Amino acid sequence: METMMIFKALSNDTRVKILEWLKKPDENFGPQLYLPTDADFKGGICVGSIQEKTGLAQSVISSYLMIMKKAELLESRRFGQWTYYRRNEETIRKFADYIKNKM
């Protein structure tokens, strides 16, 4: 876990909101129509759905998601032409423990 990358990823309000929304993906985004029903990627949300909710350009959202993925806050998987993202709960737990115990 690279804590400085995580702090950088969390230094943007929209990226924090995306992480919050992905905590309850069904509630915040609804069903993902193009995610295969047999896909082993529970909670995955399409980039387009995230972009639509933020109202920002897809290029901006894609760069935000890549920053969060590099910080290991998100995981991604591609199905056909669509890329889906979900929270990486293990990294989030480790980071929360780091904050609790080191700061």
Side-chain angles (χ1 to χ4, degrees), residues 14 16-17 90 96:
T14 300
V16 171
K17 285 180 185 173
E90 182 180 343

Side-chain angles (χ1 to χ4, degrees), residues 2-102:
E2 294 191 38
T3 55
M4 292 311 292
M5 287 185 75
I6 294 173
F7 281 120
K8 179 182 176 184
L10 297 176
S11 69
N12 176 283
D13 187 50
T14 300
R15 291 192 294 255
V16 171
K17 285 180 185 173
I18 291 168
L19 202 58
E20 290 173 358
W21 294 333
L22 290 174
K23 187 170 185 173
K24 296 179 181 176
D26 293 337
E27 186 177 304
N28 289 303
F29 295 99
Q32 296 299 292
L33 303 176
Y34 300 105
L35 184 64
T37 55
D38 61 343
D40 183 25
F41 204 65
K42 184 173 172 32
I45 300 297
C46 182
V47 174
S49 295
I50 297 169
Q51 182 269 325
E52 187 178 313
K53 188 162 178 83
T54 64
L56 298 173
Q58 186 160 347
S59 60
V60 173
I61 293 306
S62 291
S63 71
Y64 283 1
L65 294 172
M66 287 309 300
I67 289 168
M68 296 170 74
K69 185 177 176 185
K70 285 181 183 178
E72 298 181 14
L73 292 169
L74 297 179
E75 303 171 311
S76 70
R77 188 158 313 155
R78 192 166 181 82
F79 296 95
Q81 66 187 41
W82 294 279
T83 302
Y84 292 81
Y85 285 86
R86 69 179 180 190
R87 290 165 46 114
N88 182 339
E89 297 297 341
E90 182 180 343
T91 297
I92 293 168
R93 241 184 326 276
K94 286 179 183 177
F95 184 67
D97 287 343
Y98 171 84
I99 295 294
K100 182 179 176 184
N101 297 316
K102 301 280 185 183

